[in-house]
Protein backbone atom coordinates (compact mmCIF):
# COMPACT_ATOMS: atom_id res chain seq x y z
CA UNK A 1 0.00 0.00 0.00
CA UNK A 2 1.14 3.53 -0.75
CA UNK A 3 1.09 5.13 2.66
CA UNK A 4 1.71 8.50 1.04
CA UNK A 5 -1.77 8.37 -0.49
CA UNK A 6 -2.77 11.15 1.90
CA UNK A 7 -0.76 13.59 -0.23
CA UNK A 8 -4.14 14.56 -1.73
CA UNK A 9 -5.35 15.88 1.61
CA UNK A 10 -6.18 19.58 1.79
CA UNK A 11 -3.82 21.71 3.84
CA UNK A 12 -6.10 21.75 6.90
CA UNK A 13 -8.80 24.37 7.47
CA UNK A 14 -11.21 21.53 8.20
CA UNK A 15 -14.39 22.55 9.96
CA UNK A 16 -17.37 20.90 11.59
CA UNK A 17 -19.64 19.69 8.78
CA UNK A 18 -16.80 18.93 6.36
CA UNK A 19 -16.24 15.43 5.07
CA UNK A 20 -13.18 13.89 6.70
CA UNK A 21 -10.56 13.54 3.95
CA UNK A 22 -9.74 9.94 3.18
CA UNK A 23 -6.27 8.47 3.54
CA UNK A 24 -4.41 5.18 3.89
CA UNK A 25 -1.59 4.51 6.33
CA UNK A 26 0.37 1.75 8.02
CA UNK A 27 -0.78 1.07 11.55
CA UNK A 28 -0.23 -1.27 14.46
CA UNK A 29 -3.06 -3.50 13.18
CA UNK A 30 -1.98 -3.39 9.53
CA UNK A 31 -2.87 -0.99 6.72
CA UNK A 32 -5.89 1.17 7.49
CA UNK A 33 -8.08 3.45 5.42
CA UNK A 34 -10.21 6.08 7.12
CA UNK A 35 -13.19 5.48 4.85
CA UNK A 36 -13.31 1.79 5.75
CA UNK A 37 -15.00 2.96 8.98
CA UNK A 38 -18.03 4.39 7.13
CA UNK A 39 -21.20 3.10 8.70
CA UNK A 40 -19.91 3.57 12.22
CA UNK A 41 -18.60 6.41 14.33
CA UNK A 42 -14.89 7.11 14.39
CA UNK A 43 -12.69 9.05 16.80
CA UNK A 44 -9.47 10.04 15.01
CA UNK A 45 -6.89 11.62 17.28
CA UNK A 46 -3.29 12.72 17.21
CA UNK A 47 -0.77 12.52 20.02
CA UNK A 48 2.53 14.39 20.20
CA UNK A 49 4.89 11.45 20.66
CA UNK A 50 5.23 7.87 21.87
CA UNK A 51 7.03 7.26 25.17
CA UNK A 52 5.89 10.53 26.72
CA UNK A 53 4.13 10.79 30.07
CA UNK A 54 0.78 12.37 29.24
CA UNK A 55 0.36 10.35 26.03
CA UNK A 56 1.03 7.14 27.93
CA UNK A 57 -1.70 7.95 30.46
CA UNK A 58 -4.13 8.74 27.62
CA UNK A 59 -3.49 5.43 25.86
CA UNK A 60 -3.79 3.43 29.07
CA UNK A 61 -7.10 5.19 29.83
CA UNK A 62 -8.41 4.76 26.27
CA UNK A 63 -7.48 1.08 26.18
CA UNK A 64 -9.28 0.55 29.48
CA UNK A 65 -12.40 2.22 27.98
CA UNK A 66 -12.19 0.44 24.61
CA UNK A 67 -15.42 -1.46 25.32
CA UNK A 68 -17.24 1.82 26.04
CA UNK A 69 -16.33 3.13 22.58
CA UNK A 70 -17.24 -0.19 20.95
CA UNK A 71 -20.63 -0.19 22.67
CA UNK A 72 -21.29 3.18 21.00
CA UNK A 73 -20.39 1.64 17.63
CA UNK A 74 -17.32 3.85 17.54
CA UNK A 75 -13.85 2.93 16.29
CA UNK A 76 -10.70 4.57 17.61
CA UNK A 77 -7.79 5.58 15.37
CA UNK A 78 -4.66 7.26 16.76
CA UNK A 79 -1.73 8.76 14.95
CA UNK A 80 1.64 10.36 15.53
CA UNK A 81 4.81 11.12 13.63
CA UNK A 82 6.57 8.17 15.31
CA UNK A 83 7.44 5.05 13.32
CA UNK A 84 5.42 1.89 13.38
CA UNK A 85 8.23 0.19 15.31
CA UNK A 86 8.22 2.91 17.93
CA UNK A 87 4.44 2.36 18.30
CA UNK A 88 5.02 -1.39 18.71
CA UNK A 89 7.70 -0.92 21.37
CA UNK A 90 5.52 1.61 23.24
CA UNK A 91 2.47 -0.69 23.19
CA UNK A 92 4.59 -3.58 24.47
CA UNK A 93 5.82 -1.37 27.33
CA UNK A 94 2.24 -0.25 28.09
CA UNK A 95 1.08 -3.88 28.16
CA UNK A 96 3.90 -4.99 30.42
CA UNK A 97 3.79 -1.99 32.76
CA UNK A 98 0.05 -1.24 32.95
CA UNK A 99 -1.54 -4.56 32.03
CA UNK A 100 -3.63 -3.25 29.12
CA UNK A 101 -3.34 -4.10 25.44
CA UNK A 102 -3.95 -1.21 23.05
CA UNK A 103 -5.79 -2.95 20.22
CA UNK A 104 -7.07 0.06 18.31
CA UNK A 105 -4.80 1.13 15.43
CA UNK A 106 -2.00 3.63 15.90
CA UNK A 107 -0.95 5.06 12.56
CA UNK A 108 2.50 6.21 11.59
CA UNK A 109 2.62 9.60 9.92
CA UNK A 110 6.35 10.16 9.35
CA UNK A 111 5.93 13.01 6.88
CA UNK A 112 3.08 14.62 8.86
CA UNK A 113 1.01 14.56 5.69
CA UNK A 114 -2.08 13.33 7.55
CA UNK A 115 -1.53 15.58 10.57
CA UNK A 116 -1.11 18.61 8.34
CA UNK A 117 -4.11 17.62 6.22
CA UNK A 118 -6.29 17.52 9.32
CA UNK A 119 -4.75 20.64 10.88
CA UNK A 120 -3.31 18.64 13.75
CA UNK A 121 -0.09 20.62 13.44
CA UNK A 122 0.45 24.05 12.08
CA UNK A 123 1.35 24.02 8.38
CA UNK A 124 4.43 26.07 9.27
CA UNK A 125 5.35 24.07 12.34
CA UNK A 126 7.98 21.34 12.05
CA UNK A 127 7.33 20.26 15.64
CA UNK A 128 4.82 17.44 15.61
CA UNK A 129 4.45 17.70 19.39
CA UNK A 130 2.23 20.75 19.06
CA UNK A 131 -1.29 19.56 19.79
CA UNK A 132 -3.65 16.76 20.80
CA UNK A 133 -6.42 17.06 18.26
CA UNK A 134 -9.49 14.83 18.24
CA UNK A 135 -12.01 14.50 15.41
CA UNK A 136 -15.43 12.94 16.00
CA UNK A 137 -16.55 11.57 12.64
CA UNK A 138 -20.08 10.29 12.04
CA UNK A 139 -21.08 7.14 10.10
CA UNK A 140 -21.36 9.19 6.89
CA UNK A 141 -17.78 10.42 7.23
CA UNK A 142 -18.74 13.96 8.34
CA UNK A 143 -16.68 15.76 11.00
CA UNK A 144 -19.16 16.49 13.77
CA UNK A 145 -16.92 17.81 16.56
CA UNK A 146 -13.26 18.61 17.16
CA UNK A 147 -11.23 19.25 20.27
CA UNK A 148 -7.68 20.56 20.56
CA UNK A 149 -5.59 20.31 23.72
CA UNK A 150 -1.98 21.35 24.27
CA UNK A 151 0.73 18.72 24.61
CA UNK A 152 0.93 19.17 28.38
CA UNK A 153 -2.79 18.60 29.13
CA UNK A 154 -4.28 15.13 28.73
CA UNK A 155 -7.71 14.59 27.24
CA UNK A 156 -10.71 13.55 29.35
CA UNK A 157 -11.95 10.15 28.20
CA UNK A 158 -15.34 10.66 29.94
CA UNK A 159 -15.71 13.90 27.95
CA UNK A 160 -14.85 12.08 24.69
CA UNK A 161 -17.59 9.57 25.49
CA UNK A 162 -20.01 12.35 26.45
CA UNK A 163 -19.40 14.08 23.12
CA UNK A 164 -20.18 10.83 21.32
CA UNK A 165 -23.28 10.26 23.44
CA UNK A 166 -24.42 13.82 22.82
CA UNK A 167 -23.95 13.62 19.05
CA UNK A 168 -25.76 10.30 18.90
CA UNK A 169 -28.63 11.55 21.09
CA UNK A 170 -29.20 14.78 19.16
CA UNK A 171 -29.19 12.84 15.89
CA UNK A 172 -31.65 10.25 17.21
CA UNK A 173 -34.02 12.85 18.70
CA UNK A 174 -33.44 15.71 16.24
CA UNK A 175 -32.85 17.77 19.35
CA UNK A 176 -30.28 19.90 21.15
CA UNK A 177 -28.12 18.99 24.15
CA UNK A 178 -27.84 21.71 26.82
CA UNK A 179 -24.84 22.71 28.90
CA UNK A 180 -23.41 19.90 31.02
CA UNK A 181 -25.80 17.42 29.41
CA UNK A 182 -25.22 13.82 30.40
CA UNK A 183 -26.78 10.66 28.93
CA UNK A 184 -30.29 10.14 30.26
CA UNK A 185 -30.93 13.84 30.84
CA UNK A 186 -33.49 15.99 29.05
CA UNK A 187 -32.82 17.34 25.57
CA UNK A 188 -34.00 20.66 24.17
CA UNK A 189 -36.23 21.44 21.20
CA UNK A 190 -34.85 23.58 18.40
CA UNK A 191 -36.22 27.15 18.73
CA UNK A 192 -39.22 28.37 16.78
CA UNK A 193 -38.46 30.29 13.60
CA UNK A 194 -41.71 32.14 13.02
CA UNK A 195 -43.25 35.09 14.81
CA UNK A 196 -46.63 33.41 15.37
CA UNK A 197 -44.92 30.70 17.40
CA UNK A 198 -43.16 33.40 19.41
CA UNK A 199 -46.42 35.25 20.19
CA UNK A 200 -48.39 32.02 20.75
CA UNK A 201 -45.87 30.55 23.19
CA UNK A 202 -47.29 30.06 26.66
CA UNK A 203 -44.50 31.99 28.35
CA UNK A 204 -41.67 34.30 27.49
CA UNK A 205 -39.01 31.60 27.06
CA UNK A 206 -40.88 28.57 25.79
CA UNK A 207 -40.66 29.55 22.10
CA UNK A 208 -36.88 29.12 22.21
CA UNK A 209 -36.02 27.23 25.40
CA UNK A 210 -38.01 24.10 26.15
CA UNK A 211 -37.39 20.41 26.65
CA UNK A 212 -38.39 17.85 24.04
CA UNK A 213 -39.88 15.63 26.71
CA UNK A 214 -37.46 12.91 25.62
CA UNK A 215 -34.29 11.92 27.36
CA UNK A 216 -31.17 11.15 25.39
C1 LIG B 1 3.47 14.10 27.06
O1 LIG B 1 2.72 13.32 26.48
O2 LIG B 1 3.72 14.00 28.25
C2 LIG B 1 4.10 15.22 26.29
C3 LIG B 1 4.29 15.10 24.92
C4 LIG B 1 4.90 16.12 24.23
C5 LIG B 1 5.30 17.27 24.91
C6 LIG B 1 5.07 17.39 26.27
C7 LIG B 1 4.47 16.35 26.96
Amino acid sequence: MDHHAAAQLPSSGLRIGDMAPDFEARSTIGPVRLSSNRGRWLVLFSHPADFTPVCTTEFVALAREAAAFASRDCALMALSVDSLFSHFAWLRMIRDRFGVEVRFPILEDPTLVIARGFGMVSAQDNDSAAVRTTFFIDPKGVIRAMTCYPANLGRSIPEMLRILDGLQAIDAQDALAPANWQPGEALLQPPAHDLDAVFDAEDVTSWFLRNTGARG
Side-chain angles (χ1 to χ4, degrees):
M1 174 186 294
D2 173 11
H3 63 274
H4 298 294
Q8 302 304 315
L9 293 168
S11 58
S12 87
L14 288 174
R15 297 179 194 284
I16 288 172
D18 288 346
M19 287 294 291
D22 201 12
F23 61 80
E24 291 180 340
R26 294 203 307 178
S27 86
T28 49
I29 64 160
V32 292
R33 176 181 277 277
L34 182 130
S35 59
S36 65
N37 289 284
R38 291 280 158 76
R40 61 189 308 214
W41 289 80
L42 172 66
V43 172
L44 170 70
F45 62 101
S46 56
H47 66 280
D50 297 349
F51 293 101
T52 50
V54 178
C55 295
T56 300
T57 62
E58 284 188 337
F59 276 68
V60 169
L62 282 163
R64 287 186 173 142
E65 290 294 341
F69 286 90
S71 73
R72 290 159 172 83
D73 198 21
C74 180
L76 292 167
M77 192 182 272
L79 93 116
S80 80
V81 67
D82 302 276
S83 74
L84 187 58
F85 294 96
S86 169
H87 294 335
F88 284 145
W90 188 39
L91 296 193
R92 172 64 198 251
M93 183 280 294
I94 287 174
R95 202 275 311 266
D96 290 2
R97 172 67 181 79
F98 297 98
V100 287
E101 294 187 359
V102 176
R103 290 289 182 173
F104 56 81
I106 309 182
L107 284 51
E108 66 171 4
D109 186 24
T111 63
L112 291 178
V113 66
I114 301 170
R116 289 197 201 289
F118 275 78
M120 292 162 163
V121 289
S122 154
Q124 289 77 41
D125 193 348
N126 288 325
D127 178 5
S128 63
V131 286
R132 302 177 188 281
T133 309
T134 308
F135 289 86
F136 297 82
I137 300 170
D138 75 13
K140 293 180 178 157
V142 176
I143 296 168
R144 299 291 302 279
M146 305 178 225
T147 64
C148 188
Y149 287 50
N152 50 5
L153 176 64
R155 281 165 280 219
S156 161
I157 282 64
E159 176 60 5
M160 292 168 75
L161 291 167
R162 191 191 77 95
I163 290 171
L164 268 177
D165 286 332
L167 292 169
Q168 292 179 357
I170 63 180
D171 282 4
Q173 308 279 347
D174 193 19
L176 313 170
N180 299 327
W181 179 87
Q182 293 290 341
E185 294 181 355
L187 294 164
L188 300 174
Q189 289 185 30
H193 282 99
D194 65 278
L195 192 56
D196 285 340
V198 174
F199 287 149
D200 291 346
E202 57 196 49
D203 65 53
V204 73
T205 55
S206 60
W207 63 273
F208 76 94
L209 180 55
R210 61 203 159 147
N211 290 343
T212 59
R215 291 176 184 276

